[in-house]
Amino acid sequence: MRIQPTKKLRKTQEISTGFNLSNVEKQISIIFNNKSLLENAFIHRSYLNEHKKFKELSNERLEFLGDSVLSIVVSLFLYNNLPDSPEGELTQLRASLVRTETLAKIAQQLSLGKYLHLSKGEEDSGGRSNNSTLADTYEALVGAIYLDQKFDITDKFIETTMLKDWKTLTKSAVSDNKSKLQEIMQKKHKVSPTYKLIKSWGPDHARQFQIGVYMAEKLLGTGTGKNKQQAAQNAAQNALSNI
């Protein structure tokens, strides 16, 4: 499947802020044709407050594009590699792969934080290690790679940095969903969530379960899985997304 970006791209202003772009290219094993696109991926919006002439160079537009490209690549991967998985399970797996914590972990492994252009205030408050900022940067980098290198190279980059370890990443994401929801519910409402079996189906060797997580009688989220424990974790993830 080929998805190509439009040929008419707005020319990006050349910038120079003292960071060595070749180090970024070595880190991700991609040489950019348009160096400005690469640097644009690392311009945090806070940086613009102190550098007015770079008004239109926040990485948020690239982040927007990268988020969509990432979703397509991950969806295709899961669809092709898990032919027997139902839509609900595929949705939960994708959510666990593209969630903030997972993307931030990948960004940390790539040392993307050290290349960010930040304001002094953002720098002093630990912006280079902030999960949300790191996740946004990874998405912006995906968007930049897509525009500069097209779909096949972008697909390979996501596969190398994320999808080769997808089982480990999803297992890590799922394992903390229930505890995270428990913490949020206790803090906000002073109650614990409850989990109930909604339905189950399929033969004994390929049973599927759907679990609902509730606050009192209010349904917060649902999840499916090959066993009740997995379904409950997926329900917690769904509830976290809804919250």
Side-chain angles (χ1 to χ4, degrees):
M1 177 178 179
R2 278 184 172 273
I3 304 174
Q4 305 296 5
T6 178
K7 293 181 179 179
K8 293 183 178 180
L9 302 176
R10 188 178 66 178
K11 186 175 181 181
T12 306
Q13 178 184 350
E14 291 292 338
I15 54 180
S16 177
T17 51
F19 284 75
N20 192 337
L21 291 178
S22 64
N23 289 337
V24 181
E25 292 174 315
K26 289 176 184 177
Q27 188 70 39
I28 64 177
S29 300
I30 295 174
I31 304 300
F32 268 67
N33 298 307
N34 183 347
K35 307 298 184 183
S36 292
L37 267 177
L38 175 59
E39 189 155 7
N40 193 187
F42 293 93
I43 302 293
H44 188 264
R45 64 179 178 272
S46 68
Y47 184 81
L48 307 182
N49 297 329
E50 298 172 359
H51 300 80
K52 301 298 183 182
K53 65 179 179 177
F54 301 135
K55 185 176 181 180
E56 295 184 352
L57 289 176
S58 163
N59 66 2
E60 291 177 336
R61 283 171 55 85
L62 287 176
E63 175 198 339
F64 164 79
L65 177 63
D67 174 70
S68 297
V69 175
L70 186 63
S71 181
I72 290 173
V73 172
V74 172
S75 297
L76 281 171
F77 176 86
L78 294 174
Y79 182 86
N80 290 330
N81 285 273
L82 299 172
D84 298 324
S85 295
E87 181 268 345
E89 183 178 346
L90 294 175
T91 299
Q92 295 296 338
L93 288 172
R94 181 181 61 192
S96 67
L97 284 171
V98 301
R99 72 180 192 143
T100 296
E101 291 81 0
T102 301
L103 299 185
K105 182 184 296 185
I106 296 170
Q108 288 173 338
Q109 292 170 350
L110 294 171
S111 301
L112 298 186
K114 70 181 182 181
Y115 302 113
L116 276 166
H117 307 304
L118 302 169
S119 68
K120 186 178 184 303
E122 192 71 21
E123 179 87 54
D124 293 342
S125 64
R128 294 191 188 280
S129 58
N130 179 276
N131 275 359
S132 179
T133 299
L134 287 173
D136 291 347
T137 304
Y138 179 79
E139 289 180 331
L141 181 57
V142 168
I145 294 171
Y146 174 69
L147 290 178
D148 191 73
Q149 303 284 320
K150 302 193 172 56
F151 185 78
D152 289 348
I153 298 299
T154 312
D155 180 71
K156 183 178 180 181
F157 173 75
I158 296 172
E159 180 180 354
T160 301
T161 58
M162 173 195 287
L163 297 176
K164 69 176 183 180
D165 297 322
W166 74 274
K167 290 184 179 180
T168 301
L169 290 172
T170 53
K171 186 178 295 184
S172 174
V174 167
S175 66
D176 65 3
N177 287 335
K178 289 184 69 174
S179 59
K180 184 177 292 187
L181 181 62
Q182 169 80 11
E183 180 181 350
I184 291 174
M185 295 292 292
Q186 283 290 338
K187 185 178 295 186
K188 286 188 173 183
H189 305 288
K190 308 300 182 184
V191 296
S192 296
T194 57
Y195 296 84
K196 299 177 183 178
L197 177 66
I198 297 176
K199 63 180 179 179
S200 61
W201 65 93
D204 291 340
H205 68 279
R207 199 77 174 156
Q208 290 288 321
F209 298 87
Q210 183 179 47
I211 295 287
V213 57
Y214 298 82
M215 180 177 70
E217 298 302 316
K218 180 181 179 181
L219 179 65
L220 302 176
T222 62
T224 60
K226 297 177 181 179
N227 53 57
K228 293 179 181 179
Q229 182 179 10
Q230 183 186 62
Q233 291 286 2
N234 288 337
Q237 169 64 33
N238 183 231
L240 289 167
S241 299
N242 292 335
I243 292 174

